[in-house]
């Protein structure tokens, strides 16, 4: 295989804190190997539009601590079609690109797999606050998002305790309850609701009633946005059934995506970005780099995008036991 002279990088799906340090690591690792890097703006939308910009080491100065992604991100339906993928491949060839690093969630990685299957060299980096990607202990962005949630929980607890209130906190997570579950355990919540583990209103009511009667001064429930029943139904039920606490709702929303990446995410993003480029330049393709124990390892993009990450039963029971 001819050696690579020019590679490209894009960030896809929802933005996650840590995407910038990953871009920086890609650009500087390639530069050190004498390889040019192009950034593709707005993920597969920019790929199809030919929105490429040359990124030098100086262009990524000062971004290691910035949230979001300097390349921006977008959702693109056309790229889900084979025709769209072929057009994307054509754009890469027009720009003389020899390989691509895709940083993003499972949808973005499916796009990366499609390009690999068309014969284009691609390496994926898991970047999503959801932590729903098989083949890495943690995705870039999850740890920072979790810390933002804990900050919110700690603040809500201060006000909850002053008024004997129960706060219901909704956090992102349409299909994956990782953030709600870990936020609940680490924030000391009385209950957690996640999509993978349906709960009934009666069960939640009992938990809170017991907490009130055992003398707790306040309570907290962390609810993933995809969990059923929904946060407003829970609030209505608790208010009607007089569990003891007054109920208040907070929806954290997109706040969770923002902010400066923490130390963990900066390090993870940097290690994954470096490894992705090293492997791409060594001729690898169709793989995703990930955190395996303390080491950076790889899995196939096929496995990363088809295998399901199981919710930890150990954490679910921990959340229940430690809330007593
Ligand atoms: P997050 O986990 O933060 O939502 P994501 O990468 O999973 O991130 P998606 O919206 O699922 O976010 O996917 C991002 C983009 O990847 C899509 O808008 C689309 O352009 C592309 N994509 C998704 N699925 C496929 C697919 N099966 N084949 C090709 N491209 C895809």
């Amino acid at each position: 295989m001819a050696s690579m002279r020019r590679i490209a990088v894009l960030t896809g799906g929802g933005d996650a804190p840590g995407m910038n340090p990953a871009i920086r690591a890609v650009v500087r690792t390639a530069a050190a190997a004498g390889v040019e890097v192009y950034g593709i703006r707005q993920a597969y939308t920019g790929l199809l539009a030919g929105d490429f910009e040359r990124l030098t080491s100086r262009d990524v100065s000062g971004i290691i601590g910035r949230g979001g992604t300097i390349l921006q991100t977008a959702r693109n339906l056309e790229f889900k079609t084979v025709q769209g993928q072929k057009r994307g491949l054509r754009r890469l060839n027009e720009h003389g690109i020899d390989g691509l690093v895709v940083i993003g969630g499972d949808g973005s990685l499916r796009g990366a797999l499609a390009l690999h299957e068309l014969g284009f060299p691609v390496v994926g980096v898991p970047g999503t606050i959801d932590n729903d990607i098989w083949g890495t202990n943690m995705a870039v962005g999850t740890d920072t998002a979790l810390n933002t949630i804990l900050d919110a929980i700690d603040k809500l607890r201060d006000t909850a305790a002053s008024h004997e209130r129960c706060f219901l906190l909704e956090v992102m997570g349409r299909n994956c309850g990782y953030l709600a579950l870990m936020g609940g355990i680490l924030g000391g919540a009385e209950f957690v609701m996640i999509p993978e583990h349906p709960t009934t209103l009666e069960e939640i009511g009992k938990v809170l009633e017991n907490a009130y009667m055992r003398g707790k001064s306040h309570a907290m429930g962390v609810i993933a946005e995809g969990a059923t029943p929904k946060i407003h139904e829970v609030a209505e039920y608790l208010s009607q059934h007089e569990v003891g606490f007054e109920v208040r709702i907070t929806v954290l929303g997109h706040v969770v995506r923002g902010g400066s990446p923490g130390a963990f995410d900066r390090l993870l993003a940097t290690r994954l970005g470096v490894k992705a480029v090293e492997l791409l330049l060594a001729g690898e393709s169709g793989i995703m780099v990930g955190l395996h124990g303390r080491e950076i390892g790889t899995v196939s993009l096929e496995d990363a995008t088809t295998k399901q990450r199981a919710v930890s039963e150990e954490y679910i029971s921990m959340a229940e036991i430690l809330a007593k």
Side-chain angles (χ1 to χ4, degrees), residues 19 67 69 96 109 111 120 125 136 159 175 179 194 218 230 257 285 291 303-304:
M19 284 181 160
T69 159
L109 297 171
F120 196 82
V125 173
T136 186
T159 168
N175 306 308
L179 287 177
I194 59 175
H218 61 278
K230 298 284 166 213
R257 288 202 184 277
S285 179
L291 184 62
D303 282 350

Side-chain angles (χ1 to χ4, degrees), residues 12-14 44 74-77 79-80 85 104-108 110-111 114 128 130 132 257:
Y44 297 118
R75 317 249 183 208
N76 185 285
L77 289 181
F79 197 72
K80 288 189 174 183
Q85 291 152 13
D106 58 343
S108 307
R110 268 195 282 279
T128 170
D130 294 335
D132 58 350
R257 288 202 184 277

Side-chain angles (χ1 to χ4, degrees), residues 269-310:
T270 300
R271 292 178 78 196
L272 293 178
V274 167
K275 194 70 172 179
V277 171
E278 285 173 358
L279 292 170
L280 196 60
L281 298 187
E284 297 274 357
S285 179
I287 55 171
M288 181 190 82
V289 289
L291 184 62
H292 300 174
R294 297 168 69 95
E295 306 302 323
I296 302 299
T298 63
V299 294
S300 69
L301 279 172
E302 174 87 48
D303 282 350
T305 53
T306 52
K307 294 194 175 176
Q308 288 297 318
R309 213 186 137 103

